[in-house]
Amino acid sequence: MSRRYFLEASIVDSKTHLAGDEAKHLAKVLRARPGEQVTLFAGDGLEHLAQILSVGKSQIELGILSSEEVSRESPRFLRLAVALPKGDRQRFLIEKCVELGVSQIVPLVAARSVAQPSGKALQRCRRYVIESAKQCGRNQLLRIDEACTAEQFWNQETTGRRLVAHPYGEGLTKFNALSGEDEVTIAVGPEGGFTDDEIAGAQSAGWTLLHLGPRILRVETAAFCVAARLLD
Ligand code: SAM
């Protein structure tokens, strides 16, 4: 796979251009020259082989050589509703979820949440998604929704199987019970855990509790555990 660059909009012509940080990286860091080839994607499922036509100060012109639909998606749609940690742990969580094939993240605001992603923080999260998709070859972007409170989320219309990862109480322990499900939503709580009221709210809205084993996992480990066990 040649080096991948992200375009903000789908390609509709035989020529396109890169601007901003993508162009700067290609021109200044990699010292790209006309004639060299790169791969472009816009998150719409297509992958394009492109040849550099000209390298300007702030813009790189490219000609499209070929375009094809290339899916590196998991056959199962996994939506993770996560009470996100802060800082580097948040970035790590999002990057690994992209690599593991998670389709959607809903930032969950629970009573014990430490991060309430909105505005610039959400933009940063979406930037991590693009960086990670460039690296791992996904041509569809993991979608990051607006933040939602746990109470709202339990009562939202969500298709497919709905589970709350919770270390205590009765619940589902075997992932093979999910083998026939092609859409699964799993909620992961904050470092301090979901409150009893939140767990009761989820159960009365029809959510099933899910155990991930006898050890208490950090938020990001719980998210990776679920993704690694459910996604190809
Ligand atoms: N003491 C906290 C509690 O009361 O839940 C532990 C929270 S844990 C660090 C963060 C989140 O990861 C939990 O809310 C849960 O969603 C998930 N989690 C961690 N370990 C788990 C396990 N063994 N089984 C199921 N979920 C787990």
Side-chain angles (χ1 to χ4, degrees):
M1 208 185 307
S2 61
R3 206 169 273 272
R4 288 161 55 86
Y5 289 86
F6 179 71
L7 294 163
E8 294 293 339
S10 293
I11 289 178
V12 288
D13 214 343
S14 60
K15 284 186 186 169
T16 189
H17 68 272
L18 285 169
D21 288 346
E22 297 288 81
K24 234 185 265 170
H25 183 258
L26 197 44
K28 299 219 165 105
V29 181
L30 298 176
R31 305 206 170 271
R33 294 281 171 267
E36 289 175 12
Q37 293 184 0
V38 295
T39 299
L40 303 175
F41 74 109
D44 55 7
L46 294 174
E47 197 168 86
H48 312 271
L49 182 64
Q51 187 164 42
I52 297 174
L53 300 176
S54 66
V55 181
K57 269 196 183 136
S58 57
Q59 192 159 297
I60 293 184
E61 302 293 333
L62 301 121
I64 305 301
L65 300 175
S66 64
S67 303
E68 61 174 329
E69 204 164 318
V70 179
S71 174
R72 300 192 178 93
E73 298 305 299
S74 165
R76 176 178 278 149
F77 187 100
L78 176 62
R79 181 184 297 107
L80 283 182
V82 193
L84 291 171
K86 281 185 164 176
D88 287 349
R89 289 178 57 199
Q90 184 178 104
R91 179 180 193 147
F92 189 64
L93 185 151
I94 291 169
E95 284 176 354
K96 301 304 145 197
C97 282
V98 173
E99 288 172 43
L100 289 166
V102 174
S103 296
Q104 185 181 353
I105 288 182
V106 181
L108 209 56
V109 180
R112 297 186 185 128
S113 281
V114 291
Q116 308 223 345
S118 60
K120 282 197 174 146
L122 268 186
Q123 272 177 26
R124 252 195 325 271
C125 290
R126 292 181 178 132
R127 195 68 225 166
Y128 303 152
V129 170
I130 292 169
E131 289 307 318
S132 191
K134 281 163 66 175
Q135 173 270 318
C136 75
R138 275 180 85 172
N139 290 315
Q140 282 175 17
L141 297 183
L142 178 155
R143 177 176 132 192
I144 300 198
D145 282 15
E146 295 293 314
C148 177
T149 68
E151 271 327 300
Q152 283 169 340
F153 194 66
W154 305 149
N155 295 296
Q156 256 178 29
E157 287 263 316
T158 314
T159 46
R161 198 64 183 271
R162 305 181 306 162
L163 302 119
V164 182
H166 188 54
Y168 314 108
E170 294 295 310
L172 190 69
T173 53
K174 298 270 186 285
F175 275 86
N176 55 15
L178 300 172
S179 61
E181 308 278 348
D182 54 13
E183 182 170 344
V184 180
T185 301
I186 300 189
V188 176
E191 220 43 59
F194 286 119
T195 63
D196 291 347
D197 281 354
E198 285 169 337
I199 292 296
Q203 286 182 296
S204 67
W207 291 69
T208 304
L209 301 188
L210 169 72
H211 298 285
L212 302 174
R215 293 167 296 280
I216 300 293
L217 310 176
R218 300 195 89 176
V219 179
E220 54 275 42
T221 320
F224 305 154
C225 167
V226 159
R229 293 180 76 167
L230 285 179
L231 301 175
D232 295 332

